């Protein structure tokens, strides 16, 4: 895994030396940018478990190995300096899926004055490790499945409320198709989509057959913050802001809408009341 991602993090050479069960030395050489000379890091990595159950990994300069100070070594790479601290905190599990909060703090000194534009390109390479960690242990599908099953169980106990008739009438009114609607071809696979768009306003209707049960399908859409919903909608953000009742919430979603004018894209925020009857 390390060898596969080393190139993405600009690592051209590395060496790992174990000292004991809690400490090891980690040496890397990196070519951070085509306009910058190579840099070498000599780090001492130490981990410990705290009383509260948290685990801390400290990555500091291995001063007892920096015999050359800040001079260039035999490979021509100048020694850089840095300090990284990882904090791992156990969280409440979701179903059978364990959860951990990971916080990464980094401070680096490349021993070189570089333009801000180049620094902005280099910095994400150091922080990308946290994102790689999330991808490595991603169990979004398992979490979504657990939440859907939980909602299915609740839906089975749900009684038909008097307000359901009013909701049905509202749905039928909203479903009335404008006379000048247009059928959209190829917008969504295996769906029947109708659309009418005016300046700043729009009406739309999509019908699709889902290969799942009624309660499971309803649970999928009710789980507003699910990873599957995030991937399907490509929303910038999806948040349940307030829970009013068991089946009523205030939700907020942020969407990136592309303008017909080049380079003038805008984010739009929608705040809605979502209720299940």
């Amino acid at each position: 895994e390390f060898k596969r991602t080393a190139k993405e993090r600009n690592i051209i050479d590395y060496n790992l030396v174990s000292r004991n069960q809690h400490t090891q030395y980690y040496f890397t050489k990196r070519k951070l940018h085509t306009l910058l000379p190579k840099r070498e890091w000599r780090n001492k990595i130490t981990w410990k478990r705290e009383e509260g159950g948290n685990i801390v990994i400290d990555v500091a300069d291995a001063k007892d190995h920096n015999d050359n100070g800040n001079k260039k070594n035999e490979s021509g790479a100048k020694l850089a300096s840095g300090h990284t601290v990882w904090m791992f905190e156990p969280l409440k599990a979701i179903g059978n899926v364990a959860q951990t909060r990971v916080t990464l703090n980094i401070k680096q000194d490349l021993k070189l004055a570089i333009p801000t534009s180049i620094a902005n390109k280099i910095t994400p390479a150091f922080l990308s490790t946290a994102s790689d960690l999330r991808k490595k242990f991603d169990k979004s599908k398992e979490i979504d499945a657990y939440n859907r099953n939980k909602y299915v169980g609740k839906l089975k106990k749900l009684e038909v409320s008097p307000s359901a008739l009013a909701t049905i009438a509202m749905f039928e009114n909203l479903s009335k198709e404008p006379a000048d609607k247009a059928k959209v071809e190829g917008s969504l696979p295996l769906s029947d989509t109708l659309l009418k768009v005016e300046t700043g306003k729009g009406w739309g209707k999509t019908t699709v057959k889902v290969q799942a049960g009624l309660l499971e399908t309803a649970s999928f859409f009710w789980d507003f913050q699910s990873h599957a919903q995030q991937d399907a909608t490509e929303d910038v953000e999806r948040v349940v802001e307030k829970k009013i009742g068991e089946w009523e919430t205030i939700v907020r979603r942020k969407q990136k809408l592309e303008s017909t004018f080049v380079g003038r894209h805008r984010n739009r925020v929608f705040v809605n009341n979502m209720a299940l009857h």
Side-chain angles (χ1 to χ4, degrees):
E1 179 69 20
F2 179 87
K3 291 182 179 180
R4 185 183 65 82
T5 60
K7 186 177 181 180
E8 299 173 4
R9 288 182 282 168
N10 304 311
I11 296 175
I12 57 178
D13 191 20
Y14 68 93
N15 185 29
L16 192 64
V17 180
S18 178
R19 180 176 177 181
N20 53 51
Q21 292 183 343
H22 290 264
T23 304
Q24 58 187 357
Y25 292 99
Y26 176 47
F27 311 108
T28 59
K29 292 185 180 68
R30 304 184 186 223
K31 181 67 174 177
L32 299 176
H33 194 275
T34 55
L35 299 179
L36 298 179
K38 290 181 291 185
R39 285 293 184 270
E40 179 180 2
W41 278 262
R42 298 179 179 183
N43 300 120
K44 181 179 181 180
I45 305 175
T46 305
W47 74 271
K48 66 177 181 178
R49 184 187 295 272
E50 298 182 330
E51 291 183 2
N54 298 343
I55 292 178
V56 178
I57 297 180
D58 183 78
V59 185
D61 291 338
K63 296 180 180 180
D64 50 339
H65 279 70
N66 284 347
D67 300 328
N68 293 331
N70 289 323
K71 298 179 181 180
K72 289 185 178 180
N73 55 33
E74 295 178 358
S75 66
K78 190 173 183 179
L79 287 175
S81 176
H83 191 189
T84 299
V85 177
W86 290 85
M87 173 69 78
F88 301 88
E89 305 171 69
L91 301 176
K92 183 180 179 180
I94 300 178
N96 295 323
V97 181
Q99 302 289 296
T100 302
R101 177 186 288 113
V102 181
T103 304
L104 171 62
N105 290 286
I106 295 179
K107 184 178 180 180
Q108 296 290 338
D109 183 1
L110 301 182
K111 305 297 181 181
L112 177 69
I114 58 177
T116 302
S117 58
I118 296 180
N120 289 336
K121 293 181 179 180
I122 293 174
T123 303
F126 289 98
L127 299 174
S128 63
T129 309
S131 297
D132 293 340
L133 194 66
R134 183 180 177 89
K135 294 175 183 177
K136 175 68 175 179
F137 296 101
D138 181 61
K139 294 184 179 180
S140 301
K141 293 181 179 179
E142 291 86 344
I143 294 174
D144 287 350
Y146 169 80
N147 288 331
R148 282 198 303 273
N149 289 333
K150 180 178 65 176
Y151 290 131
V152 166
K154 292 182 178 181
L155 283 172
K156 289 180 178 179
K157 302 175 183 179
L158 182 65
E159 298 181 357
V160 179
S161 64
S163 61
L165 295 177
T167 303
I168 293 173
M170 180 179 62
F171 177 79
E172 291 178 345
N173 182 61
L174 185 62
S175 298
K176 291 181 180 179
E177 301 175 2
D180 52 350
K181 64 184 182 300
K183 185 173 183 179
V184 181
E185 301 291 346
S187 60
L188 294 172
L190 305 177
S191 68
D192 187 11
T193 303
L194 302 176
L195 189 66
K196 179 184 178 180
V197 178
E198 296 177 345
T199 305
K201 299 180 181 179
W203 174 93
K205 177 181 177 181
T206 296
T207 304
V208 61
K209 292 182 179 180
V210 180
Q211 295 179 337
L214 174 65
L215 299 185
E216 183 180 359
T217 303
S219 297
F220 172 84
F221 286 97
W222 181 256
D223 190 8
F224 186 79
Q225 295 183 121
S226 72
H227 296 82
Q229 288 264 35
Q230 182 76 46
D231 294 340
T233 61
E234 296 185 351
D235 288 343
V236 177
E237 186 179 41
R238 295 175 67 90
V239 178
V240 175
E241 292 203 327
K242 183 179 180 181
K243 186 175 181 180
I244 300 175
E246 184 68 43
W247 299 107
E248 185 175 5
T249 59
I250 302 297
V251 298
R252 173 171 54 86
R253 61 190 298 192
K254 181 186 292 185
Q255 292 182 314
K256 184 176 181 180
L257 304 180
E258 294 187 358
S259 171
T260 54
F261 301 98
V262 178
R264 296 185 61 185
H265 306 320
R266 295 289 187 271
N267 286 340
R268 291 293 183 266
V269 177
F270 300 86
V271 179
N272 302 102
N273 179 285
M274 187 172 76
L276 188 147
H277 300 274

